[in-house]
Amino acid sequence: MARRGDLTKDELKIIKKKITDEEAFENFFRDCFLRNLRPATIDYYKNEFHAAKKFINKALVECEQQDIENLIIESKKLIKVTTINTRLRALRSFYNYLYKNKLIDKNPMKNIKLLRDRLKTIETLDSKELELLLKTIRKQKTFVGFRDEVILLVFLDTGVRLSELVGVEVEDVRENKIIIRKTKNSFERTVYLSEATQEQVKRYISIRGNLETQKLFINQDNKELKSHSMS
Protein backbone atom coordinates (compact mmCIF):
# COMPACT_ATOMS: atom_id res chain seq x y z
CA MET A 1 0.00 0.00 0.00
CA ALA A 2 1.41 3.39 -1.02
CA ARG A 3 2.33 5.85 1.72
CA ARG A 4 2.58 8.99 -0.38
CA GLY A 5 -0.59 10.76 0.80
CA ASP A 6 -1.32 12.73 3.96
CA LEU A 7 -2.20 10.96 7.15
CA THR A 8 -5.90 10.51 7.83
CA LYS A 9 -7.63 12.29 10.71
CA ASP A 10 -7.66 9.07 12.73
CA GLU A 11 -3.95 8.58 12.10
CA LEU A 12 -3.21 12.17 13.11
CA LYS A 13 -5.10 11.60 16.38
CA ILE A 14 -2.82 8.65 17.13
CA ILE A 15 0.39 10.65 16.84
CA LYS A 16 -0.93 13.87 18.37
CA LYS A 17 0.16 14.36 21.97
CA LYS A 18 -2.84 14.66 24.24
CA ILE A 19 -2.85 17.30 26.94
CA THR A 20 -3.63 16.21 30.50
CA ASP A 21 -5.99 17.96 32.89
CA GLU A 22 -3.03 19.11 34.96
CA GLU A 23 -1.37 20.67 31.91
CA ALA A 24 -4.65 22.25 30.83
CA PHE A 25 -5.21 23.74 34.28
CA GLU A 26 -1.66 25.08 34.37
CA ASN A 27 -2.16 26.84 31.05
CA PHE A 28 -5.63 28.12 31.91
CA PHE A 29 -4.69 29.54 35.32
CA ARG A 30 -1.52 31.08 33.94
CA ASP A 31 -3.77 32.98 31.52
CA CYS A 32 -6.00 33.97 34.45
CA PHE A 33 -3.02 35.47 36.27
CA LEU A 34 -1.85 37.28 33.13
CA ARG A 35 -5.32 38.81 32.79
CA ASN A 36 -5.12 39.82 36.46
CA LEU A 37 -8.32 38.08 37.46
CA ARG A 38 -9.31 38.38 41.09
CA PRO A 39 -8.16 35.59 43.45
CA ALA A 40 -11.82 34.92 44.23
CA THR A 41 -12.51 34.32 40.53
CA ILE A 42 -9.60 31.91 40.24
CA ASP A 43 -10.78 30.04 43.35
CA TYR A 44 -14.26 29.87 41.80
CA TYR A 45 -12.83 28.21 38.69
CA LYS A 46 -10.81 25.72 40.74
CA ASN A 47 -13.79 24.74 42.89
CA GLU A 48 -16.11 24.30 39.90
CA PHE A 49 -13.61 22.20 37.94
CA HIS A 50 -13.06 19.97 40.96
CA ALA A 51 -16.82 19.55 41.45
CA ALA A 52 -17.40 18.86 37.75
CA LYS A 53 -14.83 16.06 37.70
CA LYS A 54 -16.75 14.28 40.46
CA PHE A 55 -19.86 14.19 38.27
CA ILE A 56 -18.12 13.39 34.99
CA ASN A 57 -15.61 10.90 36.45
CA LYS A 58 -13.13 11.34 33.59
CA ALA A 59 -10.50 13.83 32.48
CA LEU A 60 -12.09 17.17 31.57
CA VAL A 61 -9.89 17.46 28.48
CA GLU A 62 -11.42 14.22 27.17
CA CYS A 63 -15.02 15.34 27.62
CA GLU A 64 -17.46 15.51 24.73
CA GLN A 65 -20.81 17.22 24.48
CA GLN A 66 -22.60 14.11 25.76
CA ASP A 67 -20.48 14.16 28.92
CA ILE A 68 -21.56 17.73 29.65
CA GLU A 69 -25.18 16.79 28.98
CA ASN A 70 -24.86 13.89 31.43
CA LEU A 71 -23.33 16.28 33.95
CA ILE A 72 -26.40 18.50 33.67
CA ILE A 73 -28.82 15.59 34.00
CA GLU A 74 -27.11 14.18 37.09
CA SER A 75 -26.63 17.62 38.65
CA LYS A 76 -30.35 18.42 38.39
CA LYS A 77 -31.04 15.58 40.81
CA LEU A 78 -28.89 17.15 43.51
CA ILE A 79 -28.35 20.88 43.07
CA LYS A 80 -30.25 24.00 42.02
CA VAL A 81 -30.39 25.34 38.48
CA THR A 82 -28.49 28.48 39.47
CA THR A 83 -25.65 26.35 40.86
CA ILE A 84 -25.56 24.25 37.69
CA ASN A 85 -25.38 27.39 35.55
CA THR A 86 -22.54 28.70 37.69
CA ARG A 87 -20.64 25.48 36.98
CA LEU A 88 -21.43 25.62 33.26
CA ARG A 89 -20.08 29.17 33.03
CA ALA A 90 -16.79 28.05 34.55
CA LEU A 91 -16.54 25.09 32.17
CA ARG A 92 -17.38 27.31 29.21
CA SER A 93 -14.49 29.66 30.04
CA PHE A 94 -12.17 26.68 30.42
CA TYR A 95 -13.10 24.95 27.17
CA ASN A 96 -13.23 28.20 25.18
CA TYR A 97 -9.66 28.89 26.25
CA LEU A 98 -8.46 25.39 25.40
CA TYR A 99 -10.15 25.37 21.99
CA LYS A 100 -9.01 28.88 21.11
CA ASN A 101 -5.41 27.90 21.88
CA LYS A 102 -5.74 24.60 19.96
CA LEU A 103 -5.17 22.48 23.07
CA ILE A 104 -8.30 20.44 22.30
CA ASP A 105 -9.83 19.50 18.94
CA LYS A 106 -13.48 20.09 19.82
CA ASN A 107 -15.22 22.37 22.27
CA PRO A 108 -17.75 20.24 24.21
CA MET A 109 -19.50 23.41 25.41
CA LYS A 110 -20.12 24.78 21.91
CA ASN A 111 -23.77 23.72 21.77
CA ILE A 112 -24.48 23.73 25.51
CA LYS A 113 -26.76 26.48 26.77
CA LEU A 114 -27.43 27.60 30.31
CA LEU A 115 -30.54 26.16 31.90
CA ARG A 116 -33.66 28.26 32.00
CA ASP A 117 -34.64 29.19 35.51
CA ARG A 118 -38.04 30.26 36.67
CA LEU A 119 -38.16 33.98 37.16
CA LYS A 120 -38.33 34.90 40.81
CA THR A 121 -40.45 37.82 41.89
CA ILE A 122 -38.52 40.16 44.14
CA GLU A 123 -40.71 41.90 46.65
CA THR A 124 -39.89 45.60 46.99
CA LEU A 125 -41.03 48.15 49.55
CA ASP A 126 -43.21 51.05 48.52
CA SER A 127 -42.61 54.61 49.75
CA LYS A 128 -44.94 54.25 52.76
CA GLU A 129 -43.26 51.03 53.86
CA LEU A 130 -39.81 52.63 53.50
CA GLU A 131 -40.92 55.62 55.56
CA LEU A 132 -42.24 53.29 58.26
CA LEU A 133 -38.97 51.34 58.24
CA LEU A 134 -36.94 54.53 58.68
CA LYS A 135 -39.18 55.67 61.53
CA THR A 136 -38.70 52.30 63.25
CA ILE A 137 -34.91 52.55 62.91
CA ARG A 138 -34.84 56.15 64.20
CA LYS A 139 -36.72 55.17 67.36
CA GLN A 140 -33.70 53.18 68.54
CA LYS A 141 -31.71 56.33 69.50
CA THR A 142 -28.47 54.31 69.29
CA PHE A 143 -25.31 54.56 67.21
CA VAL A 144 -26.11 51.27 65.48
CA GLY A 145 -29.62 52.52 64.74
CA PHE A 146 -28.32 55.75 63.17
CA ARG A 147 -25.67 53.81 61.24
CA ASP A 148 -28.35 51.48 59.85
CA GLU A 149 -30.44 54.49 58.82
CA VAL A 150 -27.49 55.92 56.88
CA ILE A 151 -26.77 52.53 55.30
CA LEU A 152 -30.39 52.23 54.17
CA LEU A 153 -30.33 55.74 52.68
CA VAL A 154 -27.11 55.01 50.79
CA PHE A 155 -28.58 51.76 49.47
CA LEU A 156 -31.70 53.56 48.27
CA ASP A 157 -29.73 56.34 46.57
CA THR A 158 -27.02 54.27 44.93
CA GLY A 159 -28.07 50.63 44.62
CA VAL A 160 -24.57 49.48 45.60
CA ARG A 161 -23.93 45.88 46.63
CA LEU A 162 -23.45 45.05 50.29
CA SER A 163 -19.86 43.92 49.60
CA GLU A 164 -19.19 47.29 47.95
CA LEU A 165 -20.78 49.23 50.79
CA VAL A 166 -18.69 47.64 53.56
CA GLY A 167 -15.56 48.31 51.51
CA VAL A 168 -16.11 52.09 51.44
CA GLU A 169 -13.58 54.12 53.44
CA VAL A 170 -14.09 57.55 54.98
CA GLU A 171 -11.88 59.22 52.38
CA ASP A 172 -14.05 57.74 49.61
CA VAL A 173 -16.91 60.04 50.64
CA ARG A 174 -16.58 63.31 48.73
CA GLU A 175 -19.41 65.77 49.18
CA ASN A 176 -22.34 64.38 47.17
CA LYS A 177 -20.58 61.28 45.85
CA ILE A 178 -18.89 58.09 47.00
CA ILE A 179 -16.03 56.37 45.19
CA ILE A 180 -16.68 52.63 45.07
CA ARG A 181 -13.35 50.79 44.86
CA LYS A 182 -14.25 47.23 45.89
CA THR A 183 -16.33 46.34 42.84
CA LYS A 184 -17.15 43.03 41.20
CA ASN A 185 -15.10 43.77 38.08
CA SER A 186 -12.30 45.60 39.99
CA PHE A 187 -13.01 48.92 38.22
CA GLU A 188 -13.69 51.99 40.37
CA ARG A 189 -16.97 53.79 39.90
CA THR A 190 -18.71 56.81 41.39
CA VAL A 191 -22.19 56.86 42.91
CA TYR A 192 -24.10 59.96 43.89
CA LEU A 193 -26.10 60.92 46.97
CA SER A 194 -29.21 63.02 47.37
CA GLU A 195 -28.94 66.12 49.53
CA ALA A 196 -30.78 64.47 52.39
CA THR A 197 -28.52 61.40 52.35
CA GLN A 198 -25.42 63.57 51.97
CA GLU A 199 -26.33 65.47 55.15
CA GLN A 200 -26.96 62.25 57.10
CA VAL A 201 -23.63 60.79 55.94
CA LYS A 202 -21.86 63.94 57.19
CA ARG A 203 -23.58 63.62 60.57
CA TYR A 204 -22.69 59.93 60.73
CA ILE A 205 -19.00 60.63 60.03
CA SER A 206 -19.01 63.29 62.76
CA ILE A 207 -20.49 60.86 65.31
CA ARG A 208 -18.24 58.01 64.10
CA GLY A 209 -15.11 60.05 64.86
CA ASN A 210 -11.49 59.10 64.19
CA LEU A 211 -10.78 55.41 64.62
CA GLU A 212 -8.05 52.90 63.85
CA THR A 213 -10.05 51.45 60.94
CA GLN A 214 -10.59 53.63 57.89
CA LYS A 215 -13.76 51.81 56.85
CA LEU A 216 -16.76 54.13 56.79
CA PHE A 217 -19.23 51.78 58.41
CA ILE A 218 -18.27 50.16 61.70
CA ASN A 219 -19.86 47.86 64.26
CA GLN A 220 -20.63 48.67 67.89
CA ASP A 221 -17.07 47.70 68.86
CA ASN A 222 -15.53 50.30 66.53
CA LYS A 223 -14.32 47.59 64.15
CA GLU A 224 -14.98 47.51 60.42
CA LEU A 225 -18.42 46.20 59.50
CA LYS A 226 -18.44 42.84 57.76
CA SER A 227 -20.95 42.01 55.05
CA HIS A 228 -22.17 38.95 56.95
CA SER A 229 -22.81 40.83 60.17
CA MET A 230 -24.85 43.99 60.54
CA SER A 231 -24.26 44.51 64.26
Side-chain angles (χ1 to χ4, degrees):
M1 180 178 176
R3 294 286 182 171
R4 295 188 183 89
D6 293 337
L7 294 173
T8 65
K9 289 184 178 180
D10 289 337
E11 289 171 333
L12 287 172
K13 286 182 179 180
I14 293 174
I15 65 174
K16 182 178 180 180
K17 180 184 177 182
K18 293 184 179 179
I19 190 172
T20 65
D21 274 359
E22 289 69 25
E23 292 169 330
F25 294 152
E26 182 178 353
N27 280 276
F28 177 77
F29 289 119
R30 181 176 184 273
D31 181 68
C32 290
F33 283 116
L34 290 175
R35 289 188 289 130
N36 198 33
L37 297 189
R38 297 171 62 190
T41 301
I42 294 175
D43 287 340
Y44 149 66
Y45 284 136
K46 290 180 178 178
N47 291 336
E48 295 304 330
F49 297 160
H50 179 71
K53 290 192 71 170
K54 289 184 177 179
F55 279 93
I56 296 175
N57 198 28
K58 67 187 295 188
L60 293 186
V61 293
E62 297 177 0
C63 284
E64 298 178 355
Q65 180 174 322
Q66 186 175 355
D67 296 307
I68 305 299
E69 292 172 350
N70 290 338
L71 164 69
I72 295 172
I73 293 171
E74 294 302 315
S75 296
K76 286 180 69 176
K77 300 175 183 177
L78 300 171
I79 56 181
K80 297 179 179 179
V81 168
T82 52
T83 305
I84 297 173
N85 283 338
T86 297
R87 189 152 301 154
L88 292 177
R89 290 188 184 94
L91 291 173
R92 177 175 291 167
S93 296
F94 179 61
Y95 287 119
N96 284 349
Y97 169 81
L98 296 182
Y99 184 71
K100 178 182 177 182
N101 289 274
K102 299 181 179 179
L103 297 174
I104 55 175
D105 295 323
K106 294 182 179 180
N107 184 346
M109 287 293 297
K110 180 181 178 181
N111 299 315
I112 300 294
K113 297 181 180 180
L114 297 182
L115 304 186
R116 296 181 63 180
D117 195 8
R118 295 178 180 177
L119 296 177
K120 296 179 180 179
T121 302
I122 300 175
E123 296 291 338
T124 57
L125 300 177
D126 59 31
S127 57
K128 290 184 178 179
E129 290 171 323
L130 286 172
E131 186 177 346
L132 179 60
L133 178 58
L134 283 170
K135 284 183 178 179
T136 302
I137 293 175
R138 287 166 180 163
K139 286 180 180 180
Q140 296 182 40
K141 306 295 184 182
T142 63
F143 170 77
V144 169
F146 184 58
R147 179 208 66 192
D148 289 349
E149 175 190 337
V150 175
I151 286 176
L152 178 58
L153 291 173
V154 172
F155 272 140
L156 293 173
D157 275 4
T158 65
V160 295
R161 298 182 178 87
L162 177 58
S163 59
E164 295 174 336
L165 184 89
V166 297
V168 172
E169 299 190 354
V170 175
E171 64 177 13
D172 295 330
V173 180
R174 304 175 186 178
E175 296 298 329
N176 70 328
K177 60 186 179 183
I178 297 178
I179 309 300
I180 304 297
R181 304 183 190 278
K182 188 178 179 181
T183 63
K184 186 176 181 179
N185 58 15
S186 299
F187 291 106
E188 291 184 7
R189 77 175 193 278
T190 301
V191 296
Y192 294 88
L193 307 173
S194 64
E195 287 188 17
T197 301
Q198 182 183 342
E199 289 301 316
Q200 290 300 77
V201 170
K202 284 182 180 179
R203 294 186 181 102
Y204 168 79
I205 291 176
S206 177
I207 294 173
R208 174 192 180 282
N210 295 319
L211 300 170
E212 184 176 341
T213 178
Q214 295 303 308
K215 290 293 187 291
L216 175 63
F217 293 110
I218 57 174
N219 60 24
Q220 57 192 3
D221 298 316
N222 290 331
K223 304 294 183 181
E224 66 178 78
L225 190 64
K226 302 294 185 180
S227 57
H228 63 270
S229 175
M230 283 289 191
S231 59

